[in-house]
Amino acid sequence: MSDCESYVDATHPRFLKKLVAMHSGLKIALVQLAVGPDKAKNVAAAVQEIHKAKEKGAQLVALPECFNSPYGTEFFEEYAEEVPAGETSRALSRAAAEAGVCVVGGTVPERCGDRLYNTCAVWDPSGKLLAQHRKLHLFDIDIPNKITFKESDVLSPGDKITTFEFNGIKIGIGICYDLRFGEMAHIMAQEGCALQIYPGAFNMTTGPLHWELLARARACDTQAWVALVSPARAPPGAAYRAWGHSLLADPWAAVPHALGPAPGTLHATIDLNVVEEVRSQIPIRRQRRTDVYDTIKKSK
């Protein structure tokens, strides 16, 4: 390439043509569940909420991180099961098929051989496994006098970036701490994702500081919709208390929909025309200087 030629970021074919204005959008539901020590009760509550979301028009239902298990390294071994053969996977597959919706199954502790993973399984409306994401970035932090947590004491990290397509929309999946890594989000955007979904359980220290900030940052970086799905906040005295506040950030990096800390379901419509609008009006995808810097996905 000569010095007179320009370097630009590749644009996914999905966005080379103007989106059809009449596209009705994707109706999603983010379910903020209360999670307790009874796995069967947790799973039954999730299944019930999937059906309730369908009754209200949802086409895709997303659950929070560790929705079938308390969140903590001391619980992962006890609650772990195989994906997709385990009881929780079977229940979600059946619920997806019965309700006729796509289910982004939050996360469960997954057992695979002698390893444990924090895993999100996605089920299509027929109950078929559509995608499976293992948390890439393990939550190992130490904030003195506030929180110390080390997932890597028990869990192994995944090694793949995960995307899937549903109803003509490319969707990327990350889990909680994955949200902090803009490189991962950028690659999902390069692959055509208009929506990124992150089941997560930020804590009472980092939640108030970074939960919404990071959602808006990733939405701004990638000019995509970003959905965060948290468990409801546990009562005082619990070993781990999630921040809650499940939310949806739009491609302008505004937050048009958000919950508080209590159990509830957020209903919203993902409008693809907003993605096209932002990407055409602020064309950073064509302006990125890949002659100077780049983010590259490595093959596995």
Side-chain angles (χ1 to χ4, degrees):
M1 182 175 285
S2 73
D3 291 341
C4 295
E5 292 179 290
S6 63
Y7 294 73
V8 296
D9 189 28
T11 301
H12 191 274
R14 176 68 182 83
F15 297 103
L16 289 177
K17 58 184 179 181
K18 197 170 184 66
L19 297 177
V20 179
M22 69 177 63
H23 194 292
S24 59
L26 176 67
K27 298 182 185 301
I28 69 169
L30 311 181
V31 182
Q32 186 163 285
L33 290 167
V35 178
D38 187 328
K39 181 195 276 191
K41 185 176 179 181
N42 292 334
V43 174
V47 168
Q48 182 180 41
E49 293 301 324
I50 289 168
H51 286 281
K52 287 169 64 175
K54 170 63 176 183
E55 290 171 4
K56 293 187 177 182
Q59 298 164 292
L60 181 149
V61 183
L63 304 175
E65 183 178 26
C66 277
F67 77 91
N68 74 341
S69 159
Y71 183 68
T73 54
E74 69 272 30
F75 299 111
F76 295 149
E77 173 72 29
E78 176 186 353
Y79 285 78
E81 57 185 70
E82 293 182 355
V83 175
E87 58 194 281
T88 301
S89 290
R90 295 197 307 272
L92 293 188
S93 171
R94 185 167 56 250
E98 290 175 352
V101 298
C102 177
V103 173
V104 177
T107 80
V108 300
E110 178 200 1
R111 186 187 312 281
C112 183
D114 59 356
R115 295 193 173 202
L116 299 180
Y117 299 92
N118 191 353
T119 299
C120 176
V122 181
W123 309 92
D124 75 9
S126 70
K128 179 182 176 182
L129 183 65
L130 190 57
Q132 182 176 339
H133 177 69
R134 290 169 171 165
K135 191 174 188 176
L136 280 177
H137 305 92
L138 298 183
F139 181 52
D140 287 4
I141 69 167
D142 183 10
I143 303 176
N145 303 315
K146 291 190 175 180
I147 180 170
T148 298
F149 204 97
K150 196 170 183 182
E151 278 188 327
S152 63
D153 283 344
V154 178
L155 300 178
S156 296
D159 61 6
K160 294 180 181 177
I161 292 174
T162 304
T163 65
F164 66 95
E165 190 164 319
F166 175 66
N167 274 19
I169 299 179
K170 194 78 173 285
I171 300 171
I173 296 292
I175 298 172
C176 200
Y177 205 55
D178 287 340
L179 180 64
R180 291 188 178 274
F181 299 87
E183 300 91 341
M184 176 177 166
H186 178 66
I187 288 171
M188 290 193 287
Q190 282 182 321
E191 295 187 357
C193 292
L195 168 64
Q196 298 176 17
I197 302 176
Y198 295 84
F202 273 39
N203 56 75
M204 296 296 290
T205 298
T206 61
L209 291 171
H210 300 150
W211 178 251
E212 181 178 321
L213 172 68
L214 287 167
R216 296 182 66 193
R218 297 293 82 83
C220 188
D221 291 344
T222 63
Q223 300 177 312
W225 293 89
V226 174
L228 309 187
V229 198
S230 173
R233 189 177 305 171
Y240 187 93
R241 301 184 73 206
W243 171 238
H245 294 274
S246 298
L247 62 83
L248 180 67
D250 70 20
W252 286 107
V255 179
H257 305 282
L259 299 178
T265 299
L266 185 161
H267 289 268
T269 299
I270 301 301
D271 184 355
L272 291 185
N273 295 295
V274 179
V275 179
E276 191 278 334
E277 175 186 88
V278 175
R279 292 181 178 181
S280 63
Q281 294 180 21
I282 308 176
I284 59 174
R285 310 173 86 70
R286 298 199 306 271
Q287 297 164 335
R288 185 169 280 111
R289 288 291 304 276
T290 54
D291 58 323
V292 178
Y293 54 80
D294 202 1
T295 302
I296 301 169
K297 180 179 179 180
K298 293 185 176 181
S299 300
K300 282 289 182 182

